[in-house]
Amino acid sequence: MSLDPARLGPMANAIRALSMDAVQAANSGHPGMPMGMADVATVLYSKFLKFDPAAPKWADRDRFVLSAGHGSMLIYSLLNLTGYARPTIEDIRDFRQITSPCAGHPENFLLDGVECTTGPLGQGLAMAVGMALAERHLNATFGDDLVDHRTWVIAGDGCLMEGINHEAIGLAGHLKLGRMIVLWDDNRITIDGDTSLSTSEDIPARYRASGWHTEECDGHNFADIERAIAAAVADGRPSLIACRTVIGKGAPNKQGSHSVHGSPLGADEIVATRAAIGWTSPAFEIPENIAADWRSLGAKGAEARAAWENRLASNEEGKEFVRRMSGELPSGEAAAEAFKAWLGQSQKVATRKASELALEILTPAIPEMIGGSADLTGSNNTKAKATGPLTADDYSGRYVYYGIREFGMAAAMNGMALHGGIIPYGGTFLVFSDYCRNAIRLSALQHARVIYVLTHDSIGLGEDGPTHQPIEHVMSMRLIPNLEVFRPADVIETAECWQLALENADKPSVLALTRQNLPQLRTEGGLQSAKGGYLLRGAEAARKVVLVATGSEVELAVKVREALEAEGIGADVVSMPSMSRFLAQDAGYKATLLPGDVLKVSIEAGVTLGWERIVGSDGITIGIDTFGASAPAEVLFPHFGFSVEAIVPQIKAKLGS
Amino acid sequence: MSLDPARLGPMANAIRALSMDAVQAANSGHPGMPMGMADVATVLYSKFLKFDPAAPKWADRDRFVLSAGHGSMLIYSLLNLTGYARPTIEDIRDFRQITSPCAGHPENFLLDGVECTTGPLGQGLAMAVGMALAERHLNATFGDDLVDHRTWVIAGDGCLMEGINHEAIGLAGHLKLGRMIVLWDDNRITIDGDTSLSTSEDIPARYRASGWHTEECDGHNFADIERAIAAAVADGRPSLIACRTVIGKGAPNKQGSHSVHGSPLGADEIVATRAAIGWTSPAFEIPENIAADWRSLGAKGAEARAAWENRLASNEEGKEFVRRMSGELPSGEAAAEAFKAWLGQSQKVATRKASELALEILTPAIPEMIGGSADLTGSNNTKAKATGPLTADDYSGRYVYYGIREFGMAAAMNGMALHGGIIPYGGTFLVFSDYCRNAIRLSALQHARVIYVLTHDSIGLGEDGPTHQPIEHVMSMRLIPNLEVFRPADVIETAECWQLALENADKPSVLALTRQNLPQLRTEGGLQSAKGGYLLRGAEAARKVVLVATGSEVELAVKVREALEAEGIGADVVSMPSMSRFLAQDAGYKATLLPGDVLKVSIEAGVTLGWERIVGSDGITIGIDTFGASAPAEVLFPHFGFSVEAIVPQIKAKLGS
């Protein structure tokens, strides 16, 4: 049954009115996109989107991602009009104020119904790829009865011009994610002006080259929008619909121009717009008949949800499905027992290899873990026996060959984590965290449990040289709020850090791992890494020095300690796999490990700035503040001063001994 | 005249032999690509590439970029065989050793003939776009007599799969950079295995969608390679040539497999390869007839260069061309005079606006400055009157509308700077430096004079919220070696920082600039920012505190000082627009500004980790270690503790007063 345009028009104008009035009230924001895409969004919500405003977290809802996040008033309008508990109309009146969940860009942690935080261009669409992939995987695992939904995206020219778009659609096309549909706001305007200023691309042709189905429609013709979406739903490939729109549609003097993109319309143009679209209600008031039409839309979703709840209750996998979607880990006893066996051994392996050994134990025990790598599987050691390939032919697999797409991988992992039911982990070289840095930041901002396996974590990678050698990376990721950076020192700490990362339910974690082999330094368990830093070796002679080291440099610290003790200088070694976790311990614990009156020395094969917080103004920071070089690791470490011979004299000089 | 395949075959095998032997000797490296692309490279160098081994820096040479930098032995072989002074055969024997310029990946600072550092995938091709753009701009400025060369790229599947490739080819296609030709090593292998594991893309179709001309050829058929390259040269669009190759071509048992990508062939396979390709010379020895064929290739380039030198000598713009290519700035007197006039004023402007005011003075005086923005021209304030649009119709313009392509912009700027004759600057929001972070790193590694104009540099951007508010960014860029980060406090410091950035001939600079207005704090000149930090306001009462601040927080520090002085607590204010520059001053200067026995307080609207290096263990670091929020700036600053009322009590508590 086709939709009734006589009712859709006023419904769409309700979006326009709320959007222009909210932006005007805030004196800041982006009216152009919500007004331009109001007609498309109205058709989507009226006929196609599966949602229940009373249950925003319903597991089998369709996911709707506003990738063009600057048009946030579009989603705030939709959530309010369809009857979600928030935002209220007061929330919308307070758009962009600190008291309102209606932030400048949509934030998943402020409002249910906002599936992910958007604004950084291109990433919403790329996260949607992860959501669509999660849907197919869970469908393959739990069946149509429990998992059967679509992923919808509204994207603008910016989202499509960003490099990440190439990675995202390449992955989606390759994996044949046919239940993903992108509604492109094809308004031919960017901030600088017409798109012709900066691009000449045939976007649909590019999407087709990546295995996508494409449609075009008049974004202001309800029937044509409906036809195009129906065609996309019917096609087995992921779909791009070019919705030809006029930015700021409805504003008679400003529509179609970049001036309407990111500024309030102004009082006069708002008056003119009201007249042009026949909107007579005061600001923030919706006529009851229009409001009723909007509120009626959730009924179909409420029915569908009720039926789904019944199926869930009778499904023998229902409890496991609910557990996975809740994010609660399964009992870890088997894994803990397996790790205990390592304590009695003496495994000299790279921590990337230790991570693989840990994954061999963890992935059978935690079926929601889905691994992958940006084309460095054998180097990142991310693949375990339990994780077979996830492909277009078999979505039940648990390992994604992401290709050479670091940013796309990271964003897809965000989408998988936010979809729920999956704990994604993925690998690349630590230095190429630069390529996906903003997605890592969005993991942190969105409280997404994503685990980044970042190997080859220092000059220890050797011959590949300075482009591949992280210098600033470990410290620079420690600066990102709500991200925990682990740099384990041996096989035991690696297992501990994996456990802690998995338990970080509300944040992402980085595991910085070595290429080169490291000796096993611990034979006791006790999850010592849980305090971030701990005493690994105590001084024998009178303690004059505390050596604080991370990762591969803990081995060196132990050797430095031995050399100092041989000269009668007592030295502790503190291993610090997580600086942020250590700094969050109580003052007493920290003071015990790092007493004020003892020389403190940090040793880490990375930049030194930041280590003063641990070793104090009078400490010594051993590190590397230049780019690296190409040579074998065993040449590079002493070349850059990482040797007992280079470090001990500095300590003795400082001690005056 | 077509090339003689009977001579080309052995020439190509010389590349294969050197590559496999060097990788074997290093026991590390990538033989697959050089062996696979040896035939293509031999045709390119034999017939098409304009180069003179005796003058590697000749301004009108063709630029050759090995974007697939892991195949570094290809370019080392080519440079050695054609007779460049370096690498010598001893350099090649020492491939990947610390004593050799033959690093794991090609480094522009180690070898002439290496136009740019490659390895981070996708960026070589994207830098080549900048080189090709630089060529067209200089051609439009100085004419065909002085500037008339091509830009060639060898790229692999990795370079094409990375997101930056989409941005780079979009820009090149839009700007119709027809003198750029990409030779794609279409070997259908990535590290993880066949490309079919991770991609299903029709790459040539995508390039055509971006306005490129595409060709295909058999990458092991000399005549077909020659035909395809000739067709590319003849076409007015940028060209992609899909060279169908076998990775590791020549190794009878390993070719065509991903096992030959990144590991030595092994002694047995090397013996088998020698037999298969009929190579009887010992390792690192080239038969004289083959060596002579290679060395003869430079003769044509030497002739062309001699003719060019004559044209240069008689060209009335010759001196100016030489000056620009040398990187020497023009006399700055006029600009200095103009800036002096500011001292008597009291301009309250955002530092992004101050930057625009500075650009209005600098760009007419320095014609090699080429500006641009990633679609934020009006927000970054990067466009000056003297910089008209650079378009496909008018390459003489000086402003590039880069589109929503931060990473592509940054890489293109690297290419422009490395081409020479241009000082590129470009803008985006500071938070989106994340999108181009690795290109910024490559600016630093390559000693490229690129100036990043990064605006909206803190929570001061206000309503757009946490996705758009930099928190960790200023400090995290301070961690990148050889990058200078400036955060000026007012209009005067902004002008000074622009001058210092332009004078940073061997490194990139970041200008972190505000959205919000800031008062003019200085009325004296003296280029005080040249010391990185300096005394802006001296204590009146007995000095008990030194307040160190940057950028927008200097205004707050001045107010805090006033409040302290009003209570009889003497306080200095040190403005620190460049922390790295300050830390490089002599100990005496630093101790004068930051005496040991006085409480030091840092104030910066960003993460605090790192500030201990300035304020010491006993200092106070005022900053923000969480994500921001969406609200007007004047609400956010006090909300996050940036107010006199919040700061003064902390200082008094610490002083015990």
Side-chain angles (χ1 to χ4, degrees):
Chain A
M1 189 186 68
S2 260
L3 299 161
D4 175 5
R7 302 177 80 162
L8 294 175
M11 290 169 73
N13 284 337
I15 297 173
R16 293 192 171 96
L18 284 176
S19 299
M20 71 181 181
D21 288 333
V23 172
Q24 188 69 23
N27 195 27
S28 149
H30 300 77
M33 198 282 258
M35 296 177 76
M37 284 296 278
D39 298 326
V40 172
T42 300
V43 173
L44 173 64
Y45 271 68
S46 296
K47 177 137 184 186
F48 296 99
L49 192 79
K50 181 165 77 169
F51 68 103
D52 179 359
K57 293 294 185 192
W58 171 28
D60 200 34
R61 70 191 182 279
D62 281 2
R63 289 348 186 234
F64 169 68
V65 173
L66 186 72
S67 191
H70 54 273
S72 55
M73 270 311 305
L74 179 64
I75 191 163
Y76 300 149
S77 300
L78 289 163
L79 295 175
N80 175 270
L81 290 167
T82 53
Y84 284 72
R86 302 286 293 267
T88 63
I89 203 73
E90 287 68 35
D91 293 333
I92 288 178
R93 278 180 195 272
D94 289 344
F95 178 52
R96 293 182 157 236
Q97 306 308 308
I98 203 155
T99 50
S100 173
C102 295
H105 292 81
E107 312 289 0
N108 71 316
F109 50 90
L110 292 180
L111 271 181
D112 286 345
V114 172
E115 301 288 355
C116 57
T117 286
T118 51
L121 291 176
Q123 288 191 69
L125 192 155
M127 287 190 275
V129 172
M131 293 178 189
L133 183 57
E135 192 271 347
R136 282 297 85 189
H137 173 75
L138 292 168
N139 173 275
T141 309
F142 292 98
D144 289 344
D145 274 0
L146 298 190
V147 185
D148 182 18
H149 53 269
R150 296 184 189 282
T151 303
W152 305 86
V153 177
I154 286 183
D157 288 293
C159 289
L160 273 47
M161 212 185 297
E162 289 284 1
I164 191 174
N165 189 252
H166 169 51
E167 301 184 14
I169 73 167
L171 194 59
H174 181 67
L175 292 173
K176 298 191 168 64
L177 300 177
R179 299 168 76 82
M180 172 168 179
I181 298 175
V182 175
L183 303 156
W184 164 34
D185 180 16
D186 180 15
N187 61 27
R188 305 190 188 177
I189 293 290
T190 74
I191 292 175
D192 273 0
D194 288 358
T195 52
S196 62
L197 260 183
S198 59
T199 183
S200 313
E201 192 196 345
D202 179 346
I203 290 173
R206 172 167 67 91
Y207 271 68
R208 287 191 295 272
S210 283
W212 283 56
H213 161 238
T214 64
E215 290 283 333
E216 297 187 26
C217 72
D218 175 347
H220 302 302
N221 178 319
F222 295 114
D224 202 37
I225 298 165
E226 186 181 350
R227 174 202 56 74
I229 297 180
V233 166
D235 198 280
R237 294 164 291 177
S239 290
L240 173 78
I241 304 176
C243 305
R244 192 68 189 88
T245 60
V246 176
I247 190 170
K249 173 80 174 177
N253 306 301
K254 292 196 165 180
Q255 66 182 22
S257 145
H258 67 123
S259 67
V260 79
H261 165 82
S263 305
L265 294 185
D268 293 347
E269 184 71 1
I270 284 183
V271 169
T273 304
R274 287 186 135 67
I277 66 175
W279 193 263
T280 55
S281 301
F284 305 112
E285 289 186 22
I286 310 295
E288 183 45 38
N289 61 323
I290 300 174
D293 277 349
W294 270 113
R295 280 197 307 273
S296 73
L297 298 180
K300 203 169 54 177
E303 261 176 54
R305 180 171 70 89
W308 180 88
E309 299 277 7
N310 286 335
R311 294 198 300 276
L312 176 70
S314 62
N315 191 299
E316 61 182 15
E317 294 292 331
K319 274 192 184 156
E320 172 64 5
F321 179 76
V322 169
R323 182 193 68 75
R324 289 198 200 176
M325 290 301 293
S326 77
E328 195 187 317
L329 292 172
S331 154
E333 283 170 30
E337 281 307 310
F339 286 132
K340 260 187 211 156
W342 292 8
L343 294 170
Q345 304 174 27
S346 179
Q347 302 186 73
K348 181 168 184 169
V349 293
T351 48
R352 63 177 170 145
K353 179 67 183 176
S355 170
E356 181 187 338
L357 296 172
L359 285 171
E360 291 294 3
I361 293 168
L362 294 166
T363 53
I366 307 177
E368 58 267 42
M369 289 178 74
I370 294 201
S373 167
D375 197 48
L376 288 168
T377 296
S379 299
N380 301 142
N381 298 59
T382 32
K383 189 156 181 337
K385 293 183 193 73
T387 59
L390 191 166
T391 68
D393 296 326
D394 181 6
Y395 292 116
S396 75
R398 293 173 53 198
Y399 193 83
V400 184
Y401 289 100
Y402 285 105
I404 301 147
R405 303 181 178 108
E406 296 83 6
F407 201 4
M409 173 179 74
M413 292 200 294
N414 281 338
M416 292 159 82
L418 293 169
H419 178 282
I422 288 173
I423 301 175
Y425 70 90
T428 184
F429 288 154
L430 174 57
V431 82
F432 296 127
S433 62
D434 282 356
Y435 275 52
C436 52
R437 187 172 169 92
N438 201 262
I440 299 175
R441 185 176 206 258
L442 279 193
S443 306
L445 180 61
Q446 296 181 103
H447 307 283
R449 175 161 51 184
V450 174
I451 301 172
Y452 294 92
V453 181
L454 302 177
T455 70
H456 297 61
D457 71 349
S458 75
I459 52 170
L461 77 79
E463 294 88 344
D464 274 345
T467 52
H468 283 55
Q469 290 165 356
I471 297 293
E472 70 276 22
H473 297 79
V474 168
M475 190 62 79
S476 82
M477 283 199 290
R478 289 187 183 125
L479 303 181
I480 298 177
N482 201 43
L483 169 68
E484 183 159 11
V485 180
F486 294 99
R487 191 165 186 254
D490 73 350
V491 66
I492 302 299
E493 280 192 8
T494 304
E496 291 180 342
C497 292
W498 256 112
Q499 178 178 338
L500 297 168
L502 285 163
E503 290 172 356
N504 276 342
D506 63 346
K507 63 169 68 164
S509 301
V510 162
L511 297 170
L513 305 172
T514 66
R515 177 191 183 207
Q516 72 275 23
N517 286 342
L518 302 177
Q520 181 168 338
L521 298 169
R522 290 245 311 271
T523 50
E524 306 106 56
L527 198 61
Q528 308 233 40
S529 302
K531 295 211 163 190
Y534 63 93
L535 184 67
L536 178 70
R537 298 279 189 274
E540 288 173 26
R543 181 176 67 180
K544 294 189 177 168
V545 182
V546 177
L547 304 162
V548 185
T550 77
S552 47
E553 286 68 67
V554 178
E555 175 188 10
L556 175 58
V558 168
K559 289 180 182 164
V560 169
R561 173 187 169 279
E562 284 163 12
L564 291 169
E565 295 277 355
E567 301 193 43
I569 302 168
D572 284 354
V573 173
V574 169
S575 180
M576 192 172 285
S578 170
M579 186 192 282
S580 62
R581 189 178 281 264
F582 174 75
L583 289 169
Q585 302 304 312
D586 63 66
Y589 179 77
K590 287 188 282 189
T592 305
L593 251 66
L594 305 177
D597 56 347
V598 169
L599 173 64
K600 292 171 285 290
V601 180
S602 67
I603 313 179
E604 182 173 75
V607 292
T608 56
L609 189 66
W611 273 107
E612 286 86 357
R613 183 161 293 181
I614 301 297
V615 302
S617 319
D618 299 325
I620 300 176
T621 57
I622 308 283
I624 170 170
D625 290 310
T626 64
F627 291 109
S630 172
E634 56 272 23
V635 173
L636 290 176
F637 276 114
H639 178 82
F640 286 106
F642 295 92
S643 67
V644 172
E645 295 69 28
I647 294 172
V648 167
Q650 294 176 63
I651 294 172
K652 288 170 65 181
K654 194 87 174 189
L655 291 171
S657 64
Chain B
M1 189 184 71
S2 259
L3 299 162
D4 176 5
R7 302 178 81 161
L8 294 175
M11 289 169 74
N13 284 337
I15 297 173
R16 293 190 171 95
L18 284 176
S19 299
M20 71 180 181
D21 288 333
V23 171
Q24 188 69 23
N27 195 28
S28 150
H30 301 77
M33 199 282 259
M35 297 177 75
M37 283 297 277
D39 298 327
V40 172
T42 301
V43 173
L44 173 64
Y45 271 67
S46 297
K47 177 136 184 187
F48 296 98
L49 193 79
K50 181 165 77 169
F51 69 102
D52 179 359
K57 293 293 186 193
W58 171 29
D60 200 34
R61 70 192 182 277
D62 281 2
R63 288 352 185 231
F64 170 67
V65 172
L66 186 72
S67 191
H70 55 273
S72 56
M73 269 311 305
L74 180 65
I75 191 163
Y76 300 149
S77 300
L78 289 163
L79 295 176
N80 175 269
L81 290 166
T82 53
Y84 285 72
R86 302 287 290 267
T88 64
I89 204 73
E90 287 68 36
D91 293 334
I92 289 178
R93 278 180 195 272
D94 289 343
F95 178 53
R96 293 181 157 239
Q97 306 308 309
I98 203 156
T99 50
S100 173
C102 295
H105 291 80
E107 311 289 1
N108 71 316
F109 50 90
L110 293 179
L111 271 181
D112 287 344
V114 171
E115 301 289 355
C116 58
T117 286
T118 52
L121 290 176
Q123 288 190 69
L125 192 154
M127 287 190 274
V129 172
M131 293 179 189
L133 183 57
E135 193 271 347
R136 283 294 86 188
H137 173 73
L138 292 168
N139 173 275
T141 309
F142 292 97
D144 288 344
D145 274 0
L146 298 189
V147 185
D148 182 20
H149 54 268
R150 295 183 189 283
T151 303
W152 304 87
V153 177
I154 287 183
D157 287 294
C159 290
L160 273 46
M161 211 184 297
E162 289 284 1
I164 190 175
N165 189 252
H166 168 51
E167 301 184 13
I169 72 167
L171 194 58
H174 180 66
L175 292 172
K176 297 191 168 64
L177 300 177
R179 299 169 76 84
M180 172 168 179
I181 298 174
V182 175
L183 303 156
W184 165 33
D185 180 17
D186 179 16
N187 61 28
R188 305 188 188 180
I189 292 291
T190 74
I191 292 175
D192 273 1
D194 288 358
T195 51
S196 62
L197 260 183
S198 60
T199 184
S200 312
E201 192 197 346
D202 179 346
I203 290 173
R206 173 168 66 91
Y207 271 68
R208 287 191 295 272
S210 283
W212 284 56
H213 161 238
T214 64
E215 290 283 334
E216 297 187 26
C217 72
D218 176 347
H220 301 302
N221 177 319
F222 295 114
D224 202 39
I225 298 165
E226 187 181 350
R227 175 201 56 72
I229 297 181
V233 167
D235 199 281
R237 295 164 291 177
S239 290
L240 173 78
I241 304 176
C243 305
R244 192 69 188 89
T245 60
V246 175
I247 190 170
K249 172 79 174 177
N253 307 301
K254 292 197 165 180
Q255 66 181 23
S257 144
H258 68 124
S259 68
V260 79
H261 165 83
S263 305
L265 294 184
D268 293 348
E269 184 70 0
I270 284 183
V271 169
T273 304
R274 286 187 136 66
I277 66 175
W279 192 265
T280 54
S281 301
F284 305 113
E285 289 185 23
I286 310 294
E288 184 45 38
N289 61 324
I290 300 174
D293 277 350
W294 270 113
R295 281 197 307 272
S296 72
L297 298 180
K300 203 169 52 176
E303 259 175 55
R305 181 172 68 89
W308 181 87
E309 300 276 7
N310 285 335
R311 292 198 300 276
L312 177 70
S314 62
N315 190 299
E316 61 182 15
E317 294 291 330
K319 274 191 184 158
E320 172 64 6
F321 179 75
V322 169
R323 182 194 67 75
R324 290 198 199 176
M325 291 301 293
S326 76
E328 194 187 317
L329 293 172
S331 154
E333 283 171 29
E337 281 307 309
F339 286 131
K340 261 186 209 157
W342 292 7
L343 294 170
Q345 304 174 27
S346 180
Q347 302 187 73
K348 181 167 183 170
V349 293
T351 49
R352 62 177 170 144
K353 179 67 182 176
S355 170
E356 182 187 337
L357 297 172
L359 285 171
E360 291 293 4
I361 292 168
L362 293 167
T363 52
I366 307 177
E368 58 266 42
M369 290 178 73
I370 294 200
S373 167
D375 197 48
L376 289 168
T377 296
S379 298
N380 301 142
N381 298 59
T382 32
K383 189 155 179 338
K385 292 183 194 73
T387 60
L390 191 166
T391 68
D393 296 326
D394 181 7
Y395 291 116
S396 74
R398 293 173 54 198
Y399 193 83
V400 183
Y401 289 100
Y402 284 105
I404 302 147
R405 303 181 178 109
E406 297 82 7
F407 201 3
M409 173 179 74
M413 291 200 295
N414 281 338
M416 291 159 81
L418 293 169
H419 178 282
I422 288 173
I423 302 175
Y425 69 91
T428 184
F429 287 154
L430 174 57
V431 82
F432 296 126
S433 62
D434 282 357
Y435 275 52
C436 52
R437 187 173 169 91
N438 201 262
I440 299 175
R441 185 177 207 257
L442 279 194
S443 306
L445 179 61
Q446 297 181 103
H447 307 284
R449 175 161 51 184
V450 174
I451 301 172
Y452 294 92
V453 180
L454 302 177
T455 69
H456 296 61
D457 71 348
S458 76
I459 52 171
L461 77 78
E463 294 89 343
D464 274 346
T467 52
H468 284 54
Q469 290 165 356
I471 296 293
E472 70 276 22
H473 296 78
V474 167
M475 190 62 80
S476 82
M477 283 200 288
R478 289 187 183 123
L479 302 181
I480 298 177
N482 201 42
L483 170 66
E484 183 159 11
V485 180
F486 295 99
R487 190 165 186 254
D490 73 351
V491 66
I492 302 299
E493 280 193 8
T494 303
E496 290 180 342
C497 292
W498 255 112
Q499 177 179 338
L500 296 169
L502 286 163
E503 290 173 357
N504 276 341
D506 63 346
K507 64 169 67 162
S509 301
V510 162
L511 297 170
L513 304 172
T514 65
R515 177 190 184 209
Q516 71 275 24
N517 286 341
L518 302 178
Q520 181 168 337
L521 298 169
R522 289 245 312 271
T523 50
E524 305 107 57
L527 198 61
Q528 308 234 40
S529 302
K531 295 211 163 187
Y534 64 93
L535 184 67
L536 178 71
R537 298 277 189 276
E540 288 172 26
R543 181 176 66 180
K544 293 189 178 166
V545 182
V546 177
L547 303 162
V548 184
T550 77
S552 46
E553 286 67 68
V554 178
E555 176 188 8
L556 175 57
V558 168
K559 290 179 181 163
V560 169
R561 173 187 169 278
E562 285 163 12
L564 291 169
E565 294 277 355
E567 300 195 42
I569 301 168
D572 283 353
V573 174
V574 169
S575 180
M576 192 171 285
S578 170
M579 186 192 281
S580 61
R581 190 178 281 264
F582 174 76
L583 289 169
Q585 303 303 311
D586 63 66
Y589 179 77
K590 287 188 283 188
T592 304
L593 250 66
L594 305 177
D597 56 349
V598 169
L599 174 64
K600 291 171 286 289
V601 180
S602 67
I603 313 179
E604 181 174 75
V607 292
T608 56
L609 189 66
W611 273 107
E612 286 85 358
R613 183 160 293 180
I614 301 297
V615 303
S617 321
D618 299 325
I620 300 176
T621 57
I622 308 283
I624 171 169
D625 291 309
T626 64
F627 291 110
S630 172
E634 56 273 22
V635 173
L636 290 176
F637 277 113
H639 178 81
F640 286 107
F642 295 92
S643 68
V644 173
E645 295 68 29
I647 294 172
V648 166
Q650 295 176 63
I651 293 172
K652 289 170 65 182
K654 194 86 174 191
L655 291 172
S657 64

